[in-house]
């Protein structure tokens, strides 16, 4: 206990509040107008500026090294930086607090030091030479030892696992699986490793420190809208295969602009064709990239390019399975909004096979009857069209595929649980009800290199459509999973996910 205490920083347990330790110095600098040449406290400006420059250098290097669209062919170590390593580096700047504290203490104890020049070019050159001479041999020796050990361990593991080692080529390798995502909004665009790696390693939430950066992120949005193509965001390894997350440079609101539809489909199509040329096995479409009104759940691309070798997957089969397996055993009746959507149709047809009464909220009798006719004759009675929320005031299981206002939620009886597949998810206005999250699953424990969270999900958890693509790849399915959901495959895909260690949250 004592050794651990002596080896840790005194401010280790303060978390973000450790920066309060700078308060007295900042306060004195402001009170003494330290930025003025005649101020006796001008040395404080130098100390604080050195800290800011050191922090900026760290941030810029971290951002550059995580810009995989620029650096992936130049990386020495192929493994990604995982959550454990990021947590270890979370308090990288503890030594800066120590340095500025010691410097300030020395200047107070020895006032004569304040009259030394703040800059000396000759002294800087000498210090640089001595620093390089002293540290370069040690650095390269440590570098060779570290990477030599890692390479030896890698080939040792390959030898004993009867795998054939491939030439070590850094990150210049073809991914086997790609999850094709898009940006949600301006705030969420900052939740990527090349902006702030530590922030990206936690579930997304709007934080106060993001607000000053919002104008910069907005400018970046216009830039990528005008010039960018699909690019790599992050990656991880699973079962010895490389999985990458690519981002279509479009934001959520773009998908609802009529004039932007063709441009978005062009971006998705180019990404699929690029993946096909590279030899990617599966491309899984995220969220709005598979919107029915946009491209028919991916059917546009497979119909246009019938000879694709890459499999295009919307992942909705597993999404439906996740929602269905959340419904408690013994449920006899559910109420559903968004009932005639792709997911709503599949869920309704699956439940009616289980003899569960489904109140399908829709004003379109034609769309309801089309779905009802798909059910077996003996099961059609379990599908019921309703047009008002009052019809569900005795039903405690709501499946939400369309946004619900507080007024609409009010019709649910106390104790209702809201299962959701609506994007964005509804807000929990009712304290006497419970609200499920969007369908998601936890990746297997042997996934390596996970270092960023998928939107607001926990570490190691991905959206069900992402997990669905992973299952498609691991199972080696030869078909495209696009368009309408095959009801007969819901249980098949669910069992396959569990078999591969992909678990419900």
């Amino acid at each position: 206990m004592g050794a651990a205490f002596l080896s840790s920083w005194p401010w280790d347990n303060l978390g973000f509040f450790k920066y309060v330790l700078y308060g007295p110095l900042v306060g004195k600098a402001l009170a003494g107008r330290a930025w003025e040449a005649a101020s006796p406290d001008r040395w404080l400006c130098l100390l604080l500026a050195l800290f800011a420059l050191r922090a900026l250098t760290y941030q810029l290097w971290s951002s550059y090294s995580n810009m995989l669209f620029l650096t992936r062919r130049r990386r020495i170590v192929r493994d990604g930086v995982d959550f454990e390593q990021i947590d270890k580096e979370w308090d990288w700047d503890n030594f800066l607090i120590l340095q500025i504290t010691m410097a300030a203490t020395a200047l107070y104890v020895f006032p004569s030091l304040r009259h030394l020049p703040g800059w000396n070019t000759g002294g800087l050159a000498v210090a640089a030479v001595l620093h390089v001479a002293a540290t370069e041999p040690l650095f390269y020796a440590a570098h060779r030892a570290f990477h030599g050990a890692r390479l030896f361990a890698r080939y040792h593991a390959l030898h004993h696992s009867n795998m054939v080692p491939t030439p070590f080529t850094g990150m210049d390798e073809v991914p086997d699986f790609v999850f094709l995502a898009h940006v949600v909004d301006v705030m969420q665009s900052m939740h990527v490793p090349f902006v702030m790696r530590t922030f990206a390693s936690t579930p997304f939430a709007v934080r106060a420190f993001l607000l000053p950066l919002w104008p910069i992120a907005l400018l970046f949005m216009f830039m990528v809208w005008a010039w960018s193509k699909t690019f790599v965001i992050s990656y991880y390894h699973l079962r010895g295969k490389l999985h990458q997350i690519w981002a279509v440079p479009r934001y959520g609101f773009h998908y609802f602009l009529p004039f932007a539809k063709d441009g978005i489909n062009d971006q998705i199509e180019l990404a699929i064709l690029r993946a096909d040329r590279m030899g990617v096995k599966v491309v899984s479409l995220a969220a709005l990239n598979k919107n029915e009104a946009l491209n028919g759940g991916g059917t546009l691309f497979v119909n246009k390019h019938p000879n694709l070798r890459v499999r295009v997957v919307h992942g909705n089969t597993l999404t439906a399975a996740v929602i269905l397996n959340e419904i408690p055993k013994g449920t006899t009746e559910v109420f559903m909004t968004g009932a005639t959507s792709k997911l709503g149709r599949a869920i309704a047809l699956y439940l009616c096979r289980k003899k569960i009464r489904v109140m399908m909220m829709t004003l379109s009798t034609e769309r309801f009857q089309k779905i009802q006719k798909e059910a077996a004759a003996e099961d059609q009675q379990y599908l019921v069209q309703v047009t008002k929320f009052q019809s569900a005031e005795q039903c405690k299981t709501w499946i939400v595929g369309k946004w619900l206002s507080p007024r609409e939620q009010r019709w649910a009886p106390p104790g209702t649980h809201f299962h959701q597949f609506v994007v964005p998810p509804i807000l929990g206005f009712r304290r006497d009800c419970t609200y499920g999250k969007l369908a998601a699953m936890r990746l297997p424990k042997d996934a390596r290199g996970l270092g960023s969270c998928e939107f607001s999900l926990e570490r190691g958890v991905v959206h069900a459509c992402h997990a669905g693509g992973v299952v498609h790849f691991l199972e080696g399915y030869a078909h495209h999973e696009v368009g309408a959901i095959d009801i007969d495959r819901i249980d098949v895909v669910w069992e396959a996910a569990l078999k591969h260690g992909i678990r419900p949250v």
Side-chain angles (χ1 to χ4, degrees), residues 224-245:
V224 298
W225 191 5
W227 297 301
S228 181
K229 297 285 191 269
T230 300
F231 55 94
V232 183
I233 291 290
S234 61
Y235 67 95
Y236 60 92
H237 287 85
L238 180 62
R239 312 284 155 82
K241 303 297 183 181
L242 177 63
H243 293 215
Q244 288 184 346
I245 291 86

Side-chain angles (χ1 to χ4, degrees), residues 105 146 176 219-220 276-277 281 301 470:
T105 302
F146 175 73
D176 292 280
L219 177 62
F220 183 78
D276 190 59
R277 289 194 302 270
K281 303 297 190 302
F301 311 115
V470 173

Side-chain angles (χ1 to χ4, degrees), residues 157-190:
L158 288 171
H159 174 73
H160 286 280
S161 62
N162 296 319
M163 294 174 61
V164 178
T166 55
F168 184 68
T169 56
M171 272 299 294
D172 189 13
E173 56 181 316
V174 176
D176 292 280
F177 168 79
V178 167
F179 182 57
L180 190 59
H182 63 80
V183 189
V184 177
D185 54 32
V186 175
M187 277 293 187
Q188 188 271 332
S189 69
M190 292 180 272

Side-chain angles (χ1 to χ4, degrees), residues 355-420:
K355 314 305 181 187
I356 297 175
R357 185 171 183 264
V358 184
M359 291 185 283
M360 301 174 64
M361 176 72 179
T362 177
L363 298 177
S364 174
T365 301
E366 179 184 357
R367 295 180 68 178
F368 165 76
Q369 290 179 344
K370 182 179 179 181
I371 295 173
Q372 189 182 42
K373 288 177 182 178
E374 289 189 67
E378 65 273 17
D379 296 332
Q380 291 182 7
Q381 59 179 312
Y382 293 101
L383 298 180
V384 180
Q385 180 186 8
V386 298
T387 58
K388 296 181 179 179
F389 287 93
Q390 292 93 314
S391 303
E393 56 185 345
Q394 300 299 322
C395 180
K396 292 188 176 183
T397 302
W398 285 38
I399 303 175
V400 182
K402 189 175 181 181
W403 178 261
L404 292 180
S405 67
R407 183 177 181 180
E408 291 166 340
Q409 291 183 37
R410 197 172 59 187
W411 290 104
T416 294
H417 182 77
F418 294 91
H419 303 269
Q420 302 193 56

Side-chain angles (χ1 to χ4, degrees), residues 37-345:
S39 172
D41 297 320
R42 62 184 182 278
W43 55 272
L44 279 173
C45 278
L46 176 61
L47 292 181
L48 294 171
L50 288 173
F51 164 77
L53 287 172
R54 179 64 183 84
L56 179 62
T57 301
Y58 173 86
Q59 179 57 50
L60 291 177
W61 178 250
S62 175
S63 293
Y64 172 72
S65 64
N66 283 285
M67 291 179 179
L68 299 179
F69 46 89
L70 295 178
T71 64
R72 71 181 185 278
R73 296 177 182 271
R74 301 174 178 85
R75 301 177 75 88
I76 298 174
V77 181
R78 67 190 290 270
D79 293 342
V81 179
D82 57 20
F83 294 117
E84 182 180 359
Q85 180 62 32
I86 292 173
D87 288 343
K88 289 178 180 178
E89 298 177 10
W90 191 282
D91 292 323
W92 69 271
D93 57 348
N94 276 341
F95 76 96
L96 293 180
I97 299 177
L98 175 66
Q99 289 181 349
I100 199 170
T101 302
M102 292 178 64
T105 302
L107 289 168
Y108 274 112
V109 174
F110 305 104
S112 59
L113 295 176
R114 304 179 192 179
H115 303 294
L116 294 175
W119 182 266
N120 186 294
T121 306
L124 177 65
V126 172
V129 171
L130 291 175
H131 175 75
V132 171
T135 61
E136 188 175 29
L138 180 63
F139 171 80
Y140 282 107
H143 181 81
R144 285 193 298 271
F146 175 73
H147 291 294
R150 294 198 66 167
L151 286 173
F152 176 80
R154 179 184 172 201
Y155 279 88
H156 180 76
L158 288 171
H159 174 73
H160 286 280
S161 62
N162 296 319
M163 294 174 61
V164 178
T166 55
F168 184 68
T169 56
M171 272 299 294
D172 189 13
E173 56 181 316
V174 176
D176 292 280
F177 168 79
V178 167
F179 182 57
L180 190 59
H182 63 80
V183 189
V184 177
D185 54 32
V186 175
M187 277 293 187
Q188 188 271 332
S189 69
M190 292 180 272
H191 190 249
V192 288
F194 63 80
V195 176
M196 284 172 282
R197 190 177 67 175
T198 51
F199 177 49
S201 71
T202 60
F204 174 76
V206 177
R207 311 281 178 83
F209 68 84
L210 295 177
L211 299 178
L213 301 175
W214 191 88
I216 301 174
L218 180 65
L219 177 62
F220 183 78
M221 181 202 75
F222 288 113
M223 292 172 61
V224 298
W225 191 5
W227 297 301
S228 181
K229 297 285 191 269
T230 300
F231 55 94
V232 183
I233 291 290
S234 61
Y235 67 95
Y236 60 92
H237 287 85
L238 180 62
R239 312 284 155 82
K241 303 297 183 181
L242 177 63
H243 293 215
Q244 288 184 346
I245 291 86
W246 296 0
V248 174
R250 294 295 183 269
Y251 291 58
F253 75 91
H254 289 140
Y255 290 77
F256 300 97
L257 301 176
F259 62 85
K261 176 180 177 179
D262 291 340
I264 293 172
N265 277 330
D266 288 344
Q267 289 278 353
I268 299 172
E269 181 181 5
L270 288 173
I272 292 173
L273 293 176
R274 174 188 170 196
D276 190 59
R277 289 194 302 270
M278 292 172 65
V280 176
K281 303 297 190 302
V282 172
V283 171
S284 184
L285 305 179
L288 297 173
N289 284 335
K290 59 191 175 194
N291 186 279
E292 189 69 23
L294 183 69
N295 51 48
T299 55
L300 172 68
F301 311 115
V302 298
N303 290 339
K304 187 175 180 180
H305 303 282
N307 297 320
L308 284 174
R309 292 171 298 171
V310 65
R311 303 294 91 180
V312 181
V313 175
H314 56 43
N316 285 339
T317 307
L318 187 57
T319 302
V322 171
I323 296 169
L324 288 165
N325 280 276
E326 289 177 350
I327 298 174
K329 302 294 183 184
T331 300
T332 58
E333 183 180 60
V334 301
F335 171 74
M336 186 191 304
T337 66
T340 59
S341 66
K342 183 164 32 185
L343 268 168
R345 163 196 164 274

